[in-house]
Amino acid sequence: RLQRIPSGEPEGQLIFKNQVNRAALALSFLPRETILKHRDDLDWLSRQETLRVEAKDVLPRYADFGADGIPPLLWLIDDAHRFRETNGKAWQHPYLAGLIGLCKLGAEGSPAIRPLFDRLDSGTIVNFGMYNRLLVHALVRMGAKPDVIWPHVQMKGKFAAKDAERERKDFARE
């Protein structure tokens, strides 16, 4: 149905965004068996650069598809990275939706461990603050061992030496 909501003129955009946001929030509470019937709609929504920002609450539901949800969840992370420099903070919503969805997969998401490490090492995945903590939680839930995670998430660059001890304590606590 989101595909049929008229976006209208620029003055109608706020109403449209609010409709999308509320619809996505409602959809996020649907039972799993209902979500499973609407994969095409979820795929359509995740590809809409503007709408997916407002639809952030339903996108983690790709986790309901089990391992088949991994590719679109990784895609949300990758595509959000493309907008980090140009889209203010809007990139965060699809990015976090992808990461939250992967976290929800738990052990079923284990095939995503290596691709997440690759994205960490390449800089596609944000590696600081709560982003880092959510990523560590997701990796542990998927079955990655802390001693394997640590080399990929430790800080690099000019602050690495100064903050390494604090970061290691935070990592151990997580």
Side-chain angles (χ1 to χ4, degrees):
R1 288 192 174 182
L2 287 175
Q3 295 180 41
R4 294 190 298 263
I5 296 175
S7 61
E9 295 301 313
E11 64 270 7
Q13 289 296 313
L14 181 59
I15 293 169
F16 178 62
K17 286 181 176 183
N18 285 338
Q19 286 177 318
V20 171
N21 184 274
R22 288 186 177 129
L25 181 60
L27 293 171
S28 72
F29 288 101
L30 289 175
R32 181 178 188 272
E33 53 276 1
T34 303
I35 291 290
L36 293 176
K37 295 175 187 175
H38 295 281
R39 173 67 184 257
D40 290 342
D41 296 321
L42 200 54
D43 287 343
W44 176 85
L45 185 58
S46 71
R47 299 291 194 255
Q48 306 305 306
E49 291 178 3
T50 303
L51 292 183
R52 69 179 179 205
V53 172
E54 301 303 323
K56 64 188 177 292
D57 294 315
V58 74
L59 295 176
R61 294 297 301 268
Y62 271 115
D64 292 343
F65 295 91
D68 289 339
I70 293 172
L73 290 168
L74 289 172
W75 183 85
L76 284 167
I77 292 167
D78 293 343
D79 202 54
H81 176 75
R82 179 171 64 101
F83 292 101
R84 275 180 49 198
E85 300 300 321
T86 61
N87 202 14
K89 294 184 179 185
W91 67 271
Q92 296 175 31
H93 299 300
Y95 178 91
L96 288 170
L99 205 46
I100 289 166
L102 290 170
C103 189
K104 287 182 175 190
L105 278 171
E108 227 179 332
S110 64
I113 293 172
R114 173 52 44 205
L116 286 172
F117 285 157
D118 292 343
R119 284 162 174 80
L120 262 167
D121 296 342
S122 72
T124 301
I125 289 194
V126 179
N127 191 18
F128 60 84
M130 67 105 175
Y131 302 106
N132 179 283
R133 290 187 172 136
L134 178 58
L135 175 64
V136 169
H137 283 291
L139 288 165
V140 169
R141 284 184 44 81
M142 288 182 220
K145 302 292 181 221
D147 60 324
V148 175
I149 299 170
W150 174 247
H152 299 281
V153 298
Q154 61 183 319
M155 289 178 70
K156 297 167 180 72
K158 65 180 180 178
F159 298 110
K162 181 178 111 180
D163 294 335
E165 184 179 332
R166 180 186 49 81
E167 183 184 3
R168 184 65 181 179
K169 286 178 184 176
D170 288 347
F171 179 79
R173 185 179 63 243
E174 294 298 325

